[in-house]
Amino acid sequence: MEMDKEYERKCYELAYLIFPDVDETVDDLEVKYPERNELKVGAIVTRIAPSPTGFMHTGSLYQAMVHKKLATQTDGVYFLRVEDTDQKREVAGSIKMYTDELKYFDLLATEGVLGEDKQVGSYGPYIQSQRKDIYRVCAKHLIEKGLAYPCFCTPEMIDKTRQMQEANKIVPGYYGVYAKCRNISIDESIERVKNGEKFIIRFRSNGSHLRKISFVDGARGKIEMAENDQDVVIIKSDGLPTYHFAHVCDDHFMRTTHVVRGEEWLPSTPIHLDLFNAMGFTPPVYVHTPLIMIKDGNSKRKLSKRKDKESAVSFFIKAGYPAEGVCEYLMTILNSDYEMWKSKNKEKNYMDFEFKLNKMSSAGSLLDMPKLNDLCKEEVAKMSGKEVLDKVLVWSKQYSQDFYDILNKDLEYSQKVFGLERDNATKIRKDIYKWEDVEETFKYFFDEIYNKELEEKGYIIDSILEEKPTITKEVIKKSLEEYIKAYNENDNKDEWFARMKEVAQSLGFCTNMKEYKANPENYIGSIADFSSIVRMAITNRKNTPDIYSIMQLLGKDKVINRLNTTLSKV
Ligand code: GLU
């Protein structure tokens, strides 16, 4: 007993020696960052905790969906904390990039770091490098309790121990008898700190890897693992905490209820539970999200930052994927029952769906790009011409300034272009799924870029010659000449079509498709072939929306001009 008291006194002495300027206590912090009692029972407090490494992984976007859904569904809180304790990996501008990217998908948090210089909420600061004081209070607390100690081992010494352990097939790490500085006397620790020897701070674990612990993962259910026995580093030589320690202090004092994070953290969960326990804090519910996989030949593999462009959220933004489509897709891989729900609730979107943690798969989720593209197509198909124009303007302003300028020359015209087979249409044309393709798809509406295409790629009208031997150069020429003569810009659609047929028939095309199919040898081609000639002459495309509407939009001068130019090139 006497001995214990003496030991305790020395622990306090050691703690004071290491942190002489720390006056606050853990109890003070409990008062400063109280429980979020204003929230109703069951409200989930969740957070996204990016490290500012200049790269947002698609997996983080997927997690952001979970955060947002859990918080909004329960009237809880979703906040963003920046985890910048590994300063070697830090890349300038990351916070702005991260918050901008989340904003693009409407997945920005409502508390914490919301922009480069913007922090909102009373549980801050929300950037770990600004929370040093808090970690120092907590580390001091552990030293006082004999649950942390200074470690004077050099990286070389640690390496040597590890090599010895590996050679002898011993569980590697700094623990038990292999934890040299754990086993020196407290007097020696005090002495060496007093002498100014360099040290880091380690946790003193009382666990054993021979025992098991179990915990309930929010998505995976009960999980059993070996107990932690590693004396992990809690404060590094630069005075900053490790992830293990920082997240424990932060998630406690930010009153997080659910830590939703990548599966790669699952193996270290016993360390985290050990630390929560040592601090006397109640641990949050851990939810480990599955890895995102990608098809590679016949097998699946983890989405790789090095190999797969789709692993970066920035890829989707730069290519101009509509946020709604990407989010819809992510929900289909997040919850197995989403698609069923969606098929019954076509008008609703993923924010109306009740997301369930237990419907999350624990096997990897496959990122199926063709399916994602299809869902994006569906989302674009729901937009009006004006909405498409607005989105394309925002995208092109950043990624294609020339196209942006062209669209801006006549916004009313641009809106009509995107409104074709969209506004007031009975059957919506589904031709776009990302904004970077819009310029190519709609080029022929804009002379500046259309003419450039003709110069660079040439005319495609000759391709008919290969497909239909009966349609010779002469036929094309004649068709264009006659059509130029007959064309009347004042025709309504029926009159226009009647005139097309008239010209076609006079040249030997069949205007009745049924008849043509029965006796193709009697004709040089069908009315569809004749239309193709006109379509290609005007747009240099084989497939376009309704050619009549296109001609109406382009206007007489352009139509005649294009017909004549193509004619001169045949
Ligand atoms: N900063 C950690 C990471 O980027 C966050 C893990 C967590 O959410 O706790 O992986």
Side-chain angles (χ1 to χ4, degrees), residues 403 406-407 410 413-414 416-421 429 431 438-451 453 538-541 543-555 558 562:
F403 190 44
I406 290 168
L407 292 174
D410 187 347
Y413 175 75
S414 302
K416 280 189 195 148
V417 168
F418 297 132
L420 266 191
E421 290 188 10
R429 191 178 174 83
D431 49 1
V438 165
E439 180 173 339
E440 188 55 42
T441 311
F442 292 92
K443 217 178 224 180
Y444 54 85
F445 285 103
F446 306 97
D447 274 351
E448 299 95 319
I449 35 182
Y450 178 65
N451 290 337
E453 169 185 289
I538 292 172
T539 65
N540 210 35
R541 297 278 181 289
N543 295 303
T544 65
D546 162 45
I547 186 69
Y548 171 74
S549 313
I550 294 175
M551 288 161 82
Q552 290 295 104
L553 249 180
L554 287 171
K558 272 188 196 154
R562 289 186 185 186

Side-chain angles (χ1 to χ4, degrees), residues 62 65-66 330-336 355 359-361:
Y62 174 88
M65 301 259 302
V66 180
L330 289 178
M331 190 52 87
T332 66
I333 57 172
L334 269 170
N335 256 196
S336 50
F355 170 78
K359 288 272 186 219
M360 226 158 77
S361 91

Side-chain angles (χ1 to χ4, degrees), residues 7 180-192:
Y7 179 69
K180 200 157 169 269
C181 294
R182 173 193 178 100
N183 299 314
I184 60 179
S185 72
I186 186 128
D187 292 322
E188 185 181 336
S189 295
I190 291 173
E191 213 35 50
R192 290 171 77 170

Side-chain angles (χ1 to χ4, degrees), residues 58-88:
T58 302
S60 302
L61 193 64
Y62 174 88
Q63 282 156 11
M65 301 259 302
V66 180
H67 299 308
K68 180 163 175 170
K69 286 296 290 174
L70 290 179
T72 45
Q73 268 173 209
T74 61
D75 294 327
V77 177
Y78 159 35
F79 69 85
L80 188 151
R81 176 174 74 229
V82 173
E83 303 208 325
D84 59 346
T85 58
D86 189 353
Q87 303 212 304
K88 288 191 294 293

